[in-house]
Structures are given as C-alpha cells and as structure tokens.
C-alpha cells in the first residue's frame, strides 16, 4: 500500500513533466487581455458628460468627486454644466463598475489597462487632465443600454 501511493505520485509527476510549460516572461511577452477585463484606468468622454454626478452618487465608496459650475450655454432642460473637478481615487476603488452602470449618457467606462503602479498614494488620484489625455480603450464589460 505504501509503495502503491508513491508510484501514483511519481506517475503524476512524470505526466506533468512532459507537458509544455505555461509560464511566460512577463515584460517581454504579454498575455492578450480579455475584452471584458476591468483594469485600473477609466475612460471618460468629455463631450458626452453633462456633469450630472450620477457616477459619484452611485459609487459605494464615494471615491469620485465632481465639482460643476453653470456653463454659458446652460439650458433649463437637458443643459450641460462645466466640470471644474472630476477626481477618481483608484487607490480605494474596488472596480465594481457601478459608476459605469449609473452613467445615463455613456460617458464613463472602465479601462483595460493594468500597469498603473505608483509609489505614492497621492499619485493614485486621477484628475480631469489625466482623464482627458488618457487613451480611449474602454472595456467591453458593460455597456449601458
């Protein structure tokens, strides 16, 4: 009985030694990301955003800060606000996607990047300028209908 158990264990080891390894060398080789991957970046379309702050209201952690002001072309019904502050603290974000679901104008999406490592927590806050300059690669995880 003791020898039979060792033989089975050795058989498993020999079987796995013949398989091709799955390990890759990360910085040089990259695994293709799934299109529904939600990463550590946000895609924000400024022309679609009206400043309604629905994303900030529905964020369970309250990490989105929006400060708006009246714009010159403000209309009583369906008008836009000027967005003075739009900060997202991704250091506290749990990437649940509720802010994306809450946006009625399809202006905010989760991104697909994951190489957003920083040395200081203060660098993990995404501001308006970074959102405007970010590359537009939205995740296909959720699209509001």
């Amino acid at each position: 009985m003791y020898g039979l158990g060792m033989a089975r264990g050795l058989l498993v080891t020999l079987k796995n030694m013949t398989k091709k390894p799955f390990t890759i060398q990360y910085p040089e080789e990259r695994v293709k990301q799934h299109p529904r991957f939600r990463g550590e970046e946000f895609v924000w379309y400024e022309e679609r955003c009206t400043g309604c702050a629905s994303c900030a209201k529905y964020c369970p952690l309250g990490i989105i800060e929006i400060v708006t002001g009246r714009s010159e072309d403000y209309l009583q019904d369906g008008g836009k606000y000027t967005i003075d502050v739009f900060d997202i603290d991704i250091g506290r974000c749990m990437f649940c996607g509720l802010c994306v679901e809450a946006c009625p104008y399809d202006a905010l999406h989760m991104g697909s990047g994951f190489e957003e490592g920083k040395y200081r927590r203060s660098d993990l806050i995404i501001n308006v300028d970074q959102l405007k300059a970010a590359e537009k690669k939205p995740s296909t995880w959720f699209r509001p209908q």
Side-chain angles (χ1 to χ4, degrees), residues 1 3-4 8 10 13 25 29 32 41 47 51 65 72 74 76 90 102 105-106 118 127 130 140 142:
M1 183 121 111
L4 187 60
R8 285 183 186 162
L10 186 58
T13 303
Q25 300 299 320
E29 301 174 41
K32 187 173 183 268
E41 63 183 19
E47 63 276 358
E65 178 186 357
E72 301 82 39
Y74 176 75
Q76 191 63 27
I90 63 168
Y105 302 105
D106 204 20
K118 307 287 186 211
N127 59 20
Q130 291 171 337
T140 59
F142 181 81

Side-chain angles (χ1 to χ4, degrees), residues 4-141:
L4 187 60
M6 284 189 66
R8 285 183 186 162
L10 186 58
L11 184 64
V12 170
T13 303
L14 290 174
K15 188 166 46 171
N16 285 323
M17 284 182 65
T18 60
K19 291 182 180 178
K20 184 181 175 198
F22 184 72
T23 307
I24 62 166
Q25 300 299 320
Y26 168 64
E28 292 83 25
E29 301 174 41
R30 295 179 187 243
V31 177
K32 187 173 183 268
Q33 290 295 331
H34 192 275
R36 292 178 61 189
F37 174 74
R38 291 181 284 177
E40 292 185 0
E41 63 183 19
F42 284 88
V43 177
W44 181 58
Y45 296 99
E46 182 183 12
E47 63 276 358
R48 296 181 192 170
C49 185
T50 60
C52 67
S54 292
C55 52
K57 292 174 197 166
Y58 286 99
C59 178
L61 300 176
I63 62 167
I64 300 175
E65 178 186 357
I66 298 177
V67 177
T68 59
R70 290 189 159 228
S71 65
E72 301 82 39
D73 58 343
Y74 176 75
L75 303 172
Q76 191 63 27
D77 296 323
K80 289 181 79 167
Y81 294 97
T82 58
I83 299 170
D84 301 326
V85 176
F86 193 114
D87 291 345
I88 303 172
D89 186 3
I90 63 168
R92 293 181 47 217
C93 184
M94 62 182 178
F95 305 104
C96 63
L98 292 176
C99 56
V100 175
E101 290 181 34
C103 183
Y105 302 105
D106 204 20
L108 187 67
H109 295 284
M110 302 293 286
S112 59
F114 61 93
E115 295 174 337
E116 298 288 328
K118 307 287 186 211
Y119 287 106
R120 292 185 304 239
R121 288 187 183 193
S122 60
D123 294 339
L124 290 172
I125 298 174
I126 303 172
N127 59 20
V128 176
D129 300 328
Q130 291 171 337
L131 285 170
K132 288 178 184 177
E135 189 177 344
K136 307 294 188 213
K137 293 187 306 183
S139 169
T140 59
W141 167 72

